[in-house]
Amino acid sequence: FLFLVAEFCCGFFVILILGNFWFLAVLYLLWLYLDWETPCTGGRRSQWVRNWTVWKYFREYFPIHLIKTSDLNPNHNYLLGFHPHGVLVAGAFGNFCTGPSFKNLFPGLTPYLHIMPIWFGCPFFREYIMSAGMVSASKESVSYVLNNEGGGHASIIVIGGAEESLNAHPGSLTLNILKRKGFIKMALKHGAHLVPVFSFGENELFKQVANPKGSWLRNVQEKLQKIMGFALPLFHARGVFQYSFGLIPYRQPIHTVVGSPIPVKRNLNPTTEEIEQLHALYLQKLRKLFEEHKRNYGIPEHKSLIFE
């Protein structure tokens, strides 16, 4: 979906350049230059866009649900680790960028969904995603959000990133997290409480072409991901009037469960040992969250998370 909207926005920009409205394109480029840092300084959200009726139908299509397990004190800042990435990241977008669910469950907190900086280089598209509450996933951007002295900010980071999307097969419970410790360091530097989030059903929305590690397809995908910064999973689902093939996601319920916060004391210069200890605690809490709720959402008793 993001690709389609981004392509439309880029195509519209090209039409402005090649058509009789080139001066509008020049004005926008000037605006882009002056506004370049906005995705790293909290973005520019619009409640009007976030409350569009289309998002209500988007959430109801699957449907998407947000489940609260613990209160989050708005006097603190939080870093929410979202798992798994899936193909669409529908749970993150539906719960943190649209509708009133998060605000109703966690009053006083403002969510910021961090995505890859590359998306903010796309003309017009950047305005659309910022209006929904998305900001850059750069270190500067995360620091800006978590540096709010009065608290009340929640950074949502999809920890597994683009690499994890290549594991997004139905039934997959593999998370790319063992080497991902930058978010732990950011939480320590800003004293932001860590909150594990698991989105049940995220990997069930699409079927992906088989790409086991070591296969030629996986090797190509990983090389492209390193070059471009984002992965290209080959996926399919259903069509508009038939269910055998298409790019529309399957109607599978998504339950995004927000865990209990892990208190974090501010430490401007955390040691490697301190980062490792908090990372291990986070993995422990994430696994506990999954085990406590998996039975409610159709996960067999013998299945558990795989960290790699």
Side-chain angles (χ1 to χ4, degrees):
F1 179 72
L2 284 177
F3 275 114
L4 293 176
V5 178
E7 287 179 3
F8 173 81
C9 291
C10 289
F12 179 69
F13 184 71
V14 171
I15 291 174
L16 288 181
I17 295 176
L18 300 179
N20 295 325
F21 302 98
W22 59 267
F23 62 95
L24 293 178
V26 172
L27 288 175
Y28 183 79
L29 286 175
L30 177 61
W31 161 256
L32 193 62
Y33 173 76
L34 297 173
D35 194 58
W36 189 255
E37 296 299 323
T38 301
C40 294
T41 54
R44 187 172 45 249
R45 69 182 56 219
S46 165
Q47 281 304 125
W48 176 66
V49 173
R50 288 168 62 86
N51 291 328
W52 278 352
T53 303
V54 66
W55 303 135
K56 175 177 178 289
Y57 294 119
F58 171 78
R59 294 190 303 274
E60 291 178 350
Y61 171 79
F62 298 98
I64 296 174
H65 304 281
L66 185 65
I67 293 89
K68 170 183 175 179
T69 63
S70 176
D71 290 331
L72 298 181
N73 189 334
N75 293 324
H76 299 295
N77 293 317
Y78 298 88
L79 196 160
L80 279 63
F82 183 91
H83 312 270
H85 184 288
V87 172
L88 190 63
V89 204
F93 179 77
N95 287 311
F96 305 122
C97 294
T98 73
S101 295
F102 186 86
K103 182 179 179 181
N104 292 340
L105 291 177
F106 304 102
L109 285 182
T110 301
Y112 294 83
L113 179 60
H114 296 270
I115 64 174
M116 291 184 297
I118 190 174
W119 291 113
F120 296 98
C122 181
F124 300 115
F125 181 68
R126 68 189 298 274
E127 321 303 335
Y128 162 69
I129 55 180
M130 277 197 291
S131 66
M134 298 185 216
V135 292
S136 173
S138 67
K139 291 181 181 179
E140 296 78 11
S141 177
V142 177
S143 291
Y144 183 91
V145 173
L146 297 181
N147 203 33
N148 189 40
E149 292 185 1
H153 281 188
S155 280
I156 298 96
I157 301 178
V158 184
I159 305 298
E163 183 182 359
E164 192 173 270
S165 68
L166 299 178
N167 290 327
H169 296 273
S172 174
L173 295 172
T174 301
L175 303 181
N176 293 72
I177 192 172
L178 292 182
K179 295 181 180 180
R180 297 179 180 265
K181 299 170 185 176
F183 74 103
I184 298 292
K185 190 173 182 179
M186 293 298 292
L188 282 165
K189 282 190 171 184
H190 295 281
H193 296 352
L194 280 168
V195 182
V197 178
F198 196 88
S199 194
F200 292 89
E202 200 74 44
N203 283 339
E204 319 305 316
L205 306 185
F206 296 93
K207 292 179 180 178
Q208 191 173 167
V209 175
N211 59 342
K213 287 192 173 182
S215 66
W216 69 269
L217 175 58
R218 185 60 167 258
N219 291 335
V220 170
Q221 289 174 321
E222 290 176 347
K223 288 179 180 178
L224 288 175
Q225 187 242 319
K226 290 179 181 179
I227 295 172
M228 298 184 297
F230 56 89
L232 292 173
L234 298 179
F235 59 89
H236 64 89
R238 53 161 290 188
V240 179
F241 301 110
Q242 45 78 29
Y243 293 86
S244 57
F245 189 82
L247 295 179
I248 297 176
Y250 293 114
R251 297 191 71 176
Q252 296 289 340
I254 298 172
H255 295 87
T256 303
V257 184
V258 181
S260 301
I262 303 170
V264 178
K265 291 184 178 181
R266 190 174 188 183
N267 184 346
L268 294 177
N269 296 294
T271 64
T272 301
E273 183 180 0
E274 289 169 332
I275 293 173
E276 292 286 351
Q277 288 178 350
L278 184 55
H279 187 261
L281 177 60
Y282 179 85
L283 295 182
Q284 177 186 331
K285 295 295 184 181
L286 174 59
R287 188 181 294 279
K288 181 181 178 182
L289 177 71
F290 174 81
E291 292 295 331
E292 288 179 347
H293 294 273
K294 67 180 183 181
R295 300 171 191 80
N296 299 331
Y297 307 116
I299 306 295
E301 184 66 32
H302 68 278
K303 284 202 169 186
S304 296
L305 293 179
I306 300 173
F307 297 146
E308 63 175 31

